[in-house]
Amino acid sequence: HWPRELLRTLTTHAEVGPPPGAPTGAPSLLSPDAVLRFDWRFTLDGHELTREELHRLAEASRPAVRLRDRWMLVDPAEVRRALDRRDSRVDALTALGAALTGTTGESGDRVPVRATGWLETLRERLTDPDRPGPEPVEPPAELQATLRDYQRRGLDWLHRMTSLGLGCVLADDMGLGKTLTLISLHVHRARQESPPGPTLVVCPASLLGNWQREIGRFAPAVPVRRFHGAARDLEGLADDEFVLTTYGTLRRDAERLAATRWGLVAADEAQHVKNPHAATARALRTVPAGARVALTGTPVENNLTELWAILDWATPGLLGPLSRFRRRWADAAESGTDPEAARRLAALVGPFLLRRRKSDPGIAPELPPKTETDRVVALSPEQTALYEAVVREGLEAVAESDGLARRGLVVKLLTALKQVCNHPAQYLKESDPVLTGRSGKLELFDELLGTIRAEGAATLVFTQYVAMARLLESHLAARGVPTLLLHGGTPVRRREEMVRAFQDGAAPVFLLSLKAAGTGLNLTRAEHVVHFDRWWNPAVEAQATDRAYRIGQDRPVQVHRLIAEGTVEDRIAALLRRKQRLADAVLSGGEAGLTELSDAELAELVVLRGAR
């Protein structure tokens, strides 16, 4: 039996930080090429050992050794493991990952890590997203919007991350203003003494028009161009310019986009790159940028590999290779068998991901109870050709008629154009149509509904056409999305059953005919209302919206109006907003008011215009 006073405990930890003699301040840009030291420290009952003393313990090859004029009892196997740990140099992101988790090594041999120098300062800044930076960011004076408190915090956080050269993920719920926050960041960066360069936004094609409109609305002085379709020109880019492109264009023209050094690249609806092996994700990785920001309301839809893919694009190398990430973090966290692994993963990922939900304290009270958004989308090539043909033939017919016949032809023209805007299959009355890839509005609807469902919310979808509701029902059924469909032909008893079923959670989507379901229903389970097509009288739309936004609704309601860009829908929406003379006609008489327009006024209303 050894005397108790001989018992000793050999412990190991690592210190990671800048090497001796390095500048004391953190670099303004933390690049993957930055190198830091990874130094091992060994202690025996609280007393630090030198490497020489560790070698003497190892050479003894026995548990009882004499060191510093004292007999000590040390496990020789522990000593050998300690000697195997070598001081080394590591890249900045590996060092930062170790500093954030506080450990290094695999689960069976995990060792504590302590950050030093500016790395420790950086760790403290990153782990407290509400902690002000050296210079808190004020919303730019040029911004034509008032940011809410949580949006100002989001802007400050984005600035803090991007100014360090670190990528990040803004993962707020839909409706909390991710687009506005990103626009604010761009304006703030562009007005710096040395602007970092233009911003590239990559988004689904269905959101291209919406981005351009939002920039024009909130930052009208900022130049913006589309890199899409035939208009793919990057000549003469200004440092304060926005360039908008789509994931499809990125795949086809990645080489040209990669030839520009972007100050910032933003990936909107970043779940589109959740498969790291897909062509889209590979193309996105080739585009260089001073900073990268992913925007998504659904950072994880199925498994943690999706989170790895988004973060590894935003900040390459932080999470290590995918195989090691799965082995070290994801498998244990997903299985639920290792809560500590989930905690360490949260410590590593948390500083790079800002996630706010409408249900979070301090968020929902700041939201208006009802948020209305016009979501603008371009027509597909097939829709464009159909629309132009209908306009040409319709205007010719109207010009050759008068009186009651002319009024009927105007209504027929407007109805046909709205159906073309919805989907070619509706206008052509196809019996067994192919639905995908033919309608910009349907693509936007899919994008929108995917985000809503990922949040676990329910949706009311209004259309004035039963035929379009049936097409949506078929389309969603093919994707495995349960729906309910209520229209004018639904019996009263069945109507009541469907309302109860929706309120009880039987289906996440309720398709409704605007006239049949615009009044008298209580559907407060829905947090989202989608108007697939526009009604000429906004009061009717408001009544439909109030199926969800009414007494008993205890959550904010978001209203989405889908509008085909450059079409009669777009023109009517603008008129309704401005309430000019034609808007008064629409408000009072709907289509009847429009039948009294002159030929020139009618042409101005319906002729297809290019993207603005």
Side-chain angles (χ1 to χ4, degrees):
H1 296 281
W2 295 104
R4 184 176 298 277
E5 61 269 16
L6 293 183
L7 295 179
R8 294 291 183 269
T9 302
L10 178 65
T11 59
T12 303
H13 75 275
E15 291 184 352
V16 62
T24 56
S28 59
L29 181 67
L30 185 59
S31 72
D33 298 328
V35 175
L36 294 94
R37 282 187 61 85
F38 209 91
D39 296 327
W40 290 99
R41 298 286 185 265
F42 311 97
T43 57
L44 199 61
D45 277 6
H47 299 284
E48 186 168 327
L49 299 179
T50 65
R51 279 274 177 183
E52 291 72 22
E53 289 174 323
L54 203 61
H55 278 288
R56 286 173 57 191
L57 293 178
E59 289 168 0
S61 298
R62 59 181 184 271
V65 293
R66 189 169 179 80
L67 186 67
R68 297 183 182 179
D69 295 327
R70 295 183 63 185
W71 282 98
M72 301 182 177
L73 188 65
V74 185
D75 184 353
E78 286 288 339
V79 175
R80 286 192 296 272
R81 275 197 294 272
L83 278 175
D84 287 340
R85 305 185 191 277
R86 302 293 179 185
D87 295 346
S88 60
R89 290 179 176 267
V90 294
D91 65 82
L93 289 176
T94 299
L96 181 57
L100 289 171
T101 60
T103 62
T104 186
E106 300 295 333
S107 57
D109 186 27
R110 196 170 300 282
V111 177
V113 172
R114 184 175 69 86
T116 62
W118 61 258
L119 185 64
E120 170 60 10
T121 303
L122 176 61
R123 186 196 68 79
E124 292 176 352
R125 287 182 61 191
L126 293 180
T127 52
D128 183 4
D130 291 325
R131 176 181 176 181
E135 296 180 5
V137 175
E138 291 297 322
E142 303 91 328
L143 195 70
Q144 302 296 307
T146 301
L147 300 185
R148 295 189 171 89
D149 286 345
Y150 69 87
Q151 292 171 331
R152 293 173 67 123
R153 293 194 298 271
L155 170 61
D156 193 68
W157 179 78
L158 284 176
H159 167 69
R160 183 187 315 178
M161 300 298 287
T162 56
S163 63
L164 290 167
L166 293 170
C168 54
V169 182
L170 182 59
D172 289 346
D173 270 357
M174 179 191 299
L176 294 185
K178 294 188 291 293
T179 301
L180 173 57
T181 307
L182 196 282
I183 293 171
S184 305
L185 175 68
H186 169 87
V187 175
H188 172 77
R189 287 163 60 90
R191 73 176 187 178
Q192 293 176 356
E193 187 173 335
S194 298
T199 293
L200 175 68
V201 174
V202 188
C203 64
S206 57
L207 301 182
L208 204 61
N210 197 63
W211 265 99
Q212 187 162 4
R213 301 254 176 147
E214 295 289 272
I215 295 169
R217 175 186 174 190
F218 296 124
V222 173
V224 56
R225 71 173 79 179
R226 295 189 187 188
F227 186 82
H228 179 62
R232 297 207 297 273
D233 176 26
L234 293 175
E235 292 297 323
L237 269 183
D239 281 342
D240 66 340
E241 193 160 354
F242 261 113
V243 176
L244 310 176
T245 193
T246 68
Y247 287 108
T249 302
L250 171 71
R251 288 194 300 271
R252 293 187 294 270
D253 223 346
E255 190 173 340
R256 286 183 64 192
L257 289 168
T260 299
R261 180 65 185 183
W262 304 96
L264 176 69
V265 173
D268 191 20
E269 298 297 340
Q271 63 271 19
H272 282 263
V273 294
K274 66 183 181 182
N275 179 357
H277 307 297
T280 301
R282 293 200 306 270
L284 190 61
R285 288 169 183 268
T286 66
V287 180
R292 294 170 172 176
V293 175
L295 305 174
T296 176
T298 54
V300 180
E301 291 183 308
N302 299 302
N303 55 60
L304 289 173
T305 298
E306 298 168 357
L307 179 62
W308 177 90
I310 295 173
L311 265 175
D312 193 65
W313 168 74
T315 305
L318 174 72
L319 303 180
L322 178 57
S323 58
R324 191 175 76 190
F325 173 78
R326 294 264 1 147
R327 182 178 68 250
R328 184 176 180 184
W329 307 107
D331 291 342
E334 289 172 354
S335 68
T337 57
D338 188 355
E340 183 60 22
R343 186 201 64 77
R344 287 192 300 269
L345 178 58
L348 177 59
V349 169
F352 298 87
L353 188 147
L354 185 59
R355 173 77 162 142
R356 275 90 60 91
R357 293 180 167 85
K358 293 189 288 288
S359 58
D360 290 346
I363 300 296
E366 300 185 40
L367 287 175
K370 181 170 66 174
T371 304
E372 301 187 9
T373 307
D374 288 348
R375 298 190 175 273
V376 182
V377 65
L379 297 177
S380 70
E382 181 184 2
Q383 286 176 298
T384 300
L386 273 176
Y387 189 97
E388 291 177 337
V390 170
V391 167
R392 184 173 57 254
E393 296 170 5
L395 289 179
E396 289 176 359
V398 168
E400 296 172 358
S401 62
D402 54 25
L404 193 59
R406 183 183 184 279
R407 295 188 184 95
L409 287 173
V410 171
V411 172
K412 180 181 178 182
L413 171 61
L414 296 174
T415 300
L417 292 178
K418 288 198 290 183
Q419 291 178 351
V420 170
C421 291
N422 278 354
H423 200 288
Q426 183 191 356
Y427 171 72
L428 298 171
K429 297 179 174 58
E430 296 173 357
S431 58
D432 188 19
V434 174
L435 297 177
T436 57
R438 300 175 64 191
S439 166
K441 193 179 284 191
L442 186 62
E443 287 185 25
L444 175 60
F445 176 72
D446 282 341
E447 196 78 43
L448 183 64
L449 191 61
T451 303
I452 293 171
R453 292 199 66 214
E455 293 179 0
T459 311
L460 306 182
V461 182
F462 286 99
T463 172
Q464 58 190 292
Y465 303 106
V466 176
M468 190 63 229
R470 294 197 186 281
L471 290 176
L472 291 174
E473 181 183 40
S474 173
H475 176 71
L476 294 176
R479 281 161 170 67
V481 180
T483 61
L484 295 167
L485 171 56
L486 189 154
H487 54 81
T490 305
V492 173
R493 179 174 295 180
R494 175 60 182 149
R495 175 187 176 108
E496 294 170 352
E497 291 173 353
M498 293 171 74
V499 169
R500 282 196 300 270
F502 179 77
Q503 290 290 84
D504 291 341
V509 179
F510 204 162
L511 303 168
L512 303 135
S513 164
L514 191 66
K515 283 187 176 180
T519 58
L521 298 181
N522 189 337
L523 300 169
T524 51
R525 175 172 166 247
E527 297 177 52
H528 294 264
V529 178
V530 176
H531 290 286
F532 198 86
D533 39 58
R534 297 305 306 273
W535 187 254
W536 302 121
N537 189 335
V540 176
E541 286 186 349
Q543 284 181 333
T545 297
D546 287 347
R547 299 315 95 215
Y549 180 56
R550 59 194 296 111
I551 299 299
Q553 178 60 271
D554 55 2
R555 294 156 298 179
V557 172
Q558 294 186 60
V559 183
H560 314 271
R561 291 185 290 255
L562 310 191
I563 299 172
E565 185 177 29
T567 69
V568 62
E569 287 189 332
D570 202 357
R571 230 69 49 78
I572 290 293
L575 292 171
L576 291 174
R577 284 194 301 270
R578 293 197 298 264
K579 294 186 179 180
Q580 294 179 345
R581 181 176 63 85
L582 291 178
D584 293 335
V586 174
L587 285 167
S588 60
E591 290 177 348
L594 297 176
T595 61
E596 303 304 319
L597 299 177
S598 68
D599 289 357
E601 288 174 325
L602 182 62
E604 174 68 15
L605 187 70
V606 300
V607 169
L608 185 63
R609 298 181 184 179
R612 289 179 289 174

